Amino acid sequence: MSTQKYDNYLLESLVNGNEAGIKDIYKKVYPKVFTYVRTHDGTEHDAKDVMQKALLQLSVRAQAKDFAITSSFEGYFFTTCKNVWRREVKIHKSRVTNSTVIDLVHEEREIALAAYEQEKWELFQQKLEEISENCRKILQFFFNKIPYSKIADTLGYATENTVRQRIFKCKSKLKEAIQTDSRYNELKEL
């Protein structure tokens, strides 16, 4: 089965509740989710919880008629899981630091927030693909926290200062591309 067909199979399995396909999703993605959650102060229980919430969130989103995954299913789903865990950590921190406020998070609200975050991520990814290849490379190094000296060596820039200037220009181009997209104002208003 081709990669695209397999990705479609996984997504359809999720939407239709196909047990074999959902097991495939677990086999493919759960080990990465478990590792990610554990390295970010979570437990095995947290990782399982993240998988469940991400599966629910994606199944709800996938039922929209204009929904499409432009990357691999595995990459998209793993990003969804990371976003779910980040939100969990953020909610937990706000509960710990303010014990007088009890924040009851409803499942519908959580799904809506997750969908919102995913739309922002998709807009970012699409606009990253639209800028020049050189800018894309340098920003990917920057986002992965590669030292400026290594970026300069790898991409052939004379100095770290040149790398800083180039990153600034590329970030500006990316920001402009995002802000001129009609979806940006819609997402900003939510």
Side-chain angles (χ1 to χ4, degrees), residues 84-169:
V84 167
W85 179 242
R86 287 183 192 130
R87 195 172 49 262
E88 290 292 318
V89 168
K90 189 175 179 182
I91 289 168
H92 179 70
K93 283 183 180 175
S94 68
R95 285 183 184 152
V96 170
T97 57
N98 189 354
S99 60
T100 60
V101 176
I102 299 172
D103 185 10
L104 300 174
V105 180
H106 299 290
E107 198 68 31
E108 296 85 13
R109 179 174 173 257
E110 195 169 308
I111 291 170
L113 281 172
Y116 169 70
E117 287 174 10
Q118 196 66 35
E119 286 178 40
K120 287 193 320 188
W121 174 252
E122 288 168 8
L123 175 61
F124 170 80
Q125 286 293 105
Q126 181 185 357
K127 294 306 171 182
L128 186 62
E129 287 298 314
E130 291 176 8
I131 61 176
S132 72
E133 186 177 342
N134 188 321
C135 272
R136 202 167 39 248
K137 280 182 187 173
I138 200 165
L139 288 178
Q140 285 171 338
F141 281 124
F142 174 75
F143 294 143
N144 287 311
K145 299 182 181 357
I146 305 299
Y148 291 152
S149 58
K150 186 163 175 70
I151 297 173
D153 291 344
T154 305
L155 298 180
Y157 290 112
T159 66
E160 289 180 34
N161 196 37
T162 307
V163 171
R164 281 186 186 85
Q165 291 171 352
R166 189 76 185 128
I167 288 171
F168 178 79
K169 287 179 183 175

Side-chain angles (χ1 to χ4, degrees), residues 1 4 19 25 28 48 55 59 86 97 108 116 143 149 166 171 176 178:
M1 190 180 309
Q4 184 62 41
E19 205 171 308
I25 294 169
K28 249 178 125 62
K48 288 177 180 175
L55 285 167
S59 67
R86 287 183 192 130
T97 57
E108 296 85 13
Y116 169 70
F143 294 143
S149 58
R166 189 76 185 128
K171 281 172 51 180
E176 182 183 342
I178 290 170

Side-chain angles (χ1 to χ4, degrees), residues 3-18 21-22 24-25 54-55 57-64 66-74 76-77:
T3 306
Q4 184 62 41
K5 282 186 180 180
Y6 187 66
D7 284 353
N8 288 340
Y9 161 74
L10 294 176
L11 186 59
E12 288 170 15
S13 295
L14 185 56
V15 172
N16 299 324
N18 175 351
I22 293 171
D24 283 353
I25 294 169
L55 285 167
Q57 173 193 323
L58 185 54
S59 67
V60 168
R61 291 200 71 216
Q63 292 174 26
D66 59 345
F67 180 80
I69 295 177
T70 56
S71 61
S72 72
F73 178 88
E74 184 178 346
Y76 185 91
F77 187 69

